[in-house]
Each structure stands twice: as C-alpha cells, then as structure tokens.
Amino acid sequence: MVPLLLAAALAAPQTGFAFGRVGGSIMPFTVAVATSGVVKRDGPAPGAAKHLTKQQLAVLNRVAVETQFTRMPAVTACPNTLPDIAAQFIRVGGRTVRVHGRCLAGFNRLWAALARATR
C-alpha cells in the first residue's frame, strides 16, 4: 500500500523536496516540503516543523547542487545491505533517488540536511 501523501505526490507535478523510507520490514514514511516551505508528513515521519524559511529552502537547494543530486543514480543497492532493511528516497523537483543502504555519501549529506531542516 502506498502512503497517501506519497501517492498524491506521484500524481501531481513534482516541485519542492520529499524524503522518506520505503520497503523493508518497517513502516514507510514521507516528509514533503513544498516550494512555499510548507512541510507535510505521512506515516511515522520524524520531526515537527510545519514550515521552512526561504533561507532553509536555499540551503537545501545549495546542498542538492553541491552533492550533484541530478547526477546520482536513480537506484543504488549498497553492498552488504540486508534485504529486509528499508530503502531511503529523496525527491528534488521531479527527480527521485532511492538508496538501499548507506554507501552514497552525497545522498547521505542531502538526507541529513533535509532531516535537520524539518525536525
């Protein structure tokens, strides 16, 4: 079953940011950040922020550029990652990157920035 927010995000034109986890043996979640800064959560998503400032959005955009998000592979399966471990995903605009494991440093950096901004 696809979380409601994720299903709605997939059906709409993609803008802003989203991140979360899917698959594995743990509940999925999604945190979506609109270009207006409004933060929405679906599932057991961490954090409590309801709105990001323009400065926070600018930092996230900068980190996405610095980590070369647009050049990351769409799907990465890290070596030695157990199959029942959930995958993480990040969406920036219309592009989604999914990583199963922790082997992609730029992805981990952007994930940390998103998590920090939305806590």
Side-chain angles (χ1 to χ4, degrees):
M1 184 163 133
V2 177
L4 294 177
L5 183 60
L6 181 57
L10 293 172
Q14 304 295 304
T15 60
F17 297 90
F19 70 106
R21 86 178 160 228
V22 293
S25 59
I26 193 163
M27 292 276 297
F29 74 81
T30 301
V31 178
V33 180
T35 55
S36 64
V38 173
V39 179
K40 294 185 180 181
R41 291 174 171 73
D42 188 40
K50 295 181 190 300
H51 192 274
L52 301 186
T53 65
K54 288 181 182 180
Q55 182 179 0
Q56 287 173 302
L57 292 170
V59 167
L60 292 175
N61 279 305
R62 188 187 80 234
V63 173
V65 169
E66 289 174 353
T67 59
Q68 298 183 343
F69 181 80
T70 59
R71 299 179 123 194
M72 290 180 195
V75 177
T76 300
C78 298
N80 303 318
T81 301
L82 298 173
D84 63 339
I85 301 293
Q88 295 175 305
F89 73 89
I90 296 174
R91 181 186 52 75
V92 177
R95 184 163 200 283
T96 301
V97 172
R98 186 174 55 116
V99 177
H100 186 238
R102 303 272 307 153
C103 64
L104 202 57
F107 181 92
N108 297 338
R109 180 175 169 211
L110 182 54
W111 176 278
L114 286 160
R116 194 170 35 255
T118 60
R119 50 178 131 145

